[in-house]
Amino acid sequence: MDSDDFGDLERELLALGDSLEVTGPPPAEVASAVRARLQAPDPAHDAPASPAVQPERPVKPLSKVRRWQLVAAVVVLALALTAAAVVWVLRSTGVEIRVNDPSPSPTVTREIPGARSADLEEAARQVGFTPKVPAALGEPSEILVGDGRVVSMFWDHVRLDQFAGGVSPMFVKQLGGPEWPEEVLVNGAHGWWIAEAHNLTYVTKGNGETTPLRVADSTLVWGDDVTGYRLEGVKTLQDAHRIATSLR
Amino acid sequence: MDDAEAVARSLAGDLSAYEALVARYSALAQRTAAMLGAGDEAEDVVQEAFVKAYRHLASFRADAPFRPWLLRIVANETHNLTRSRGRRSELTVRLGAQAPVTAPDDPEGTAVASDRRARLLEAVRKLPDREREAVVCRYFLQLSEAETAQVLDCPLGSVKSRTHRGLARLREEVGGSGL
């Protein structure tokens, strides 16, 4: 077998396999669901066919009440199990986008924990990098620094967040449907255009605590090698792209 | 508690030992079912497979590895499901994780790579059933040839030839390495 001829392709397939994410219920949940089924009345059928050995706990006929409880437990588990699906995880600097991952929408809108008003100079001092301003929008009406690492600028219905990106996400965006966001280039840096409203969660520095922020409007996320950006509230990719490329 | 001990204790009626086995293999079983075509019903398939595995535990050879034995039951359950639904068994998972999209040195290269990955996945999906199953087992589930033979219930030689034919077809479809 000349498998060596396919070495590159085999390596590619292995890498591809690694990037395929299949989510299911947590193992402990599967285990208890299986156990519940095995303990259901019908011991003759469910016991392993090993004649010499007696089950450790003899299965007694269940009273009516217990049988009902058992059915209820199985139904609840079954509901929990069918909710699982395949989630696609995309990444941009400091941002994780989860596609096909429906979640309950935040009912209130929150700001990034610890957000305080600041001017540009003060913001730069706090986050350790110099925030950029999009020339296309002009001076922001307000600037906030959140969690000591995110600079947020505001204009009418438009918001730009800037953050020093790391490997672990600060923002998690959950898209309920299976459609991928559009992959784009912003000044040579990769990004994603999310046209639909989606749930936005913030992951706090250090302790990893998550805070549901809000249902976010259409957003462009992108990042260069050190800084991540998310521009929210611009209606079209064309406009968002024009603003994003005007950062100075 | 290793697999052999867990199996022995399960056979003796210790459901907690079996629960431990289920927990240990549920993610792999889920992955196998999804990739062999169970789609949204992978959870049901997995649960059914574990229940059946327990019922047939006495037929399991104590000195054999548990993993491929279990996955064969998962594969059978998946086949039963796709047959009963009258549909082709399809690879229903899709691209999960992306490499970081901001590869600092070569953003365009990253785009090319992710496009190639999507095309490769599409090509795997379009393979004839037998070739696709062999390729999925060998590379996506990272099973050995022997394990693949057991899971797909076919001779070792068939695994080799199906994999080989599948790889040849994939190469034809997506070309040589672009990475």
Side-chain angles (χ1 to χ4, degrees):
Chain A
M1 196 63 54
D2 50 347
S3 61
D4 280 353
D5 288 352
F6 291 115
D8 285 350
L9 185 55
E10 291 185 296
R11 272 190 293 281
E12 264 187 83
L13 283 166
L14 287 169
L16 176 60
D18 282 340
S19 75
L20 296 170
E21 187 175 292
V22 174
T23 61
E29 227 170 74
V30 181
S32 51
V34 169
R35 183 179 187 143
R37 281 197 47 192
L38 294 176
Q39 283 177 321
D42 193 4
H45 203 196
D46 273 340
S50 176
V53 199
Q54 271 301 103
E56 201 173 63
R57 38 187 122 207
V59 185
K60 284 179 287 187
L62 297 170
S63 72
K64 272 193 175 152
V65 173
R66 273 207 53 206
R67 193 170 301 182
W68 176 85
Q69 284 172 334
L70 192 62
V71 170
V74 172
V75 167
V76 169
L77 278 167
L79 285 176
L81 301 191
T82 49
V86 177
V87 176
W88 301 14
V89 181
L90 314 173
R91 295 197 173 84
S92 180
T93 312
V95 178
E96 178 174 301
I97 304 169
R98 303 180 62 85
V99 182
N100 203 17
D101 190 16
S103 54
S105 296
T107 47
V108 293
T109 294
R110 292 193 188 85
E111 202 29 83
I112 294 167
R116 297 269 181 288
S117 192
D119 60 22
L120 263 184
E121 229 170 88
E122 169 64 16
R125 199 188 57 72
Q126 285 193 38
V127 296
F129 64 88
T130 308
K132 294 177 177 172
V133 178
L137 291 178
E139 292 301 305
S141 57
E142 191 183 9
I143 301 175
L144 296 181
V145 178
D147 201 18
R149 60 175 182 172
V150 181
V151 178
S152 309
M153 298 179 182
F154 297 84
W155 299 262
D156 256 1
H157 306 298
V158 174
R159 165 186 188 132
L160 174 68
D161 293 318
Q162 308 180 40
F163 32 91
V167 177
S168 50
M170 307 178 195
F171 292 98
V172 177
K173 300 164 106 50
Q174 287 172 289
L175 281 55
E179 293 80 25
W180 274 44
E182 189 173 336
E183 197 168 7
V184 294
L185 281 177
V186 177
N187 284 340
H190 261 270
W192 301 97
W193 167 248
I194 306 166
E196 306 298 323
H198 55 278
N199 291 347
L200 180 67
T201 298
Y202 182 77
V203 184
T204 302
K205 186 160 84 180
N207 64 10
E209 201 172 278
T210 55
T211 308
L213 295 182
R214 63 184 170 279
V215 178
D217 204 350
S218 47
T219 302
L220 177 66
V221 295
W222 75 101
D224 55 31
D225 38 352
V226 286
T227 315
Y229 303 91
R230 55 179 302 284
L231 177 65
E232 178 183 339
V234 182
K235 294 297 171 208
T236 66
L237 170 58
Q238 197 184 2
D239 286 345
H241 190 266
R242 184 174 52 80
I243 294 167
T245 50
S246 76
L247 285 187
R248 302 286 181 268
Chain B
M1 181 169 54
D2 64 14
D3 286 359
E5 189 189 342
V7 169
R9 281 168 58 174
S10 304
L11 268 171
D14 179 355
L15 277 180
S16 300
Y18 192 65
E19 228 179 322
L21 268 180
V22 173
R24 189 174 298 164
Y25 286 106
S26 77
L28 181 62
Q30 179 83 26
R31 196 171 164 82
T32 304
M35 290 190 169
L36 291 179
D40 291 346
E41 289 165 283
E43 294 88 359
D44 300 347
V45 164
V46 165
Q47 198 184 107
E48 197 58 39
F50 277 119
V51 169
K52 287 202 172 146
Y54 182 78
R55 288 174 184 162
H56 294 112
L57 215 46
S59 69
F60 170 69
R61 274 199 5 250
D63 56 339
F66 181 72
R67 187 171 96 146
W69 182 81
L70 171 73
L71 293 187
R72 177 168 172 179
I73 297 175
V74 173
N76 278 342
E77 276 306 304
T78 306
H79 281 150
N80 291 346
L81 174 86
T82 50
R83 251 203 312 273
S84 73
R85 295 280 184 277
R87 69 186 185 210
R88 183 172 174 264
S89 62
E90 282 183 321
L91 176 60
T92 45
V93 296
R94 295 194 283 183
L95 266 182
Q98 284 279 100
V101 294
T102 51
D105 47 343
D106 183 18
E108 276 80 11
T110 310
V112 171
S114 66
D115 175 58
R116 181 175 167 83
R117 236 168 4 157
R119 281 196 298 130
L120 183 57
L121 181 59
E122 193 49 40
V124 172
R125 202 180 275 138
K126 283 196 284 201
L127 286 176
D129 285 359
R130 289 172 172 229
E131 292 170 24
R132 190 190 61 250
E133 286 170 357
V135 165
V136 163
C137 285
R138 292 285 288 119
Y139 303 108
F140 290 177
L141 300 173
Q142 303 191 10
L143 303 180
S144 69
E145 287 183 332
E147 285 177 315
T148 302
Q150 192 177 349
V151 171
L152 298 181
D153 194 19
C154 68
L156 194 63
S158 304
V159 171
K160 287 179 194 285
S161 59
R162 289 174 194 179
T163 307
H164 191 267
R165 280 203 304 274
L167 290 174
R169 218 183 290 267
L170 289 175
R171 158 129 337 144
E172 211 169 280
E173 197 69 31
V174 299
S177 171
L179 297 179

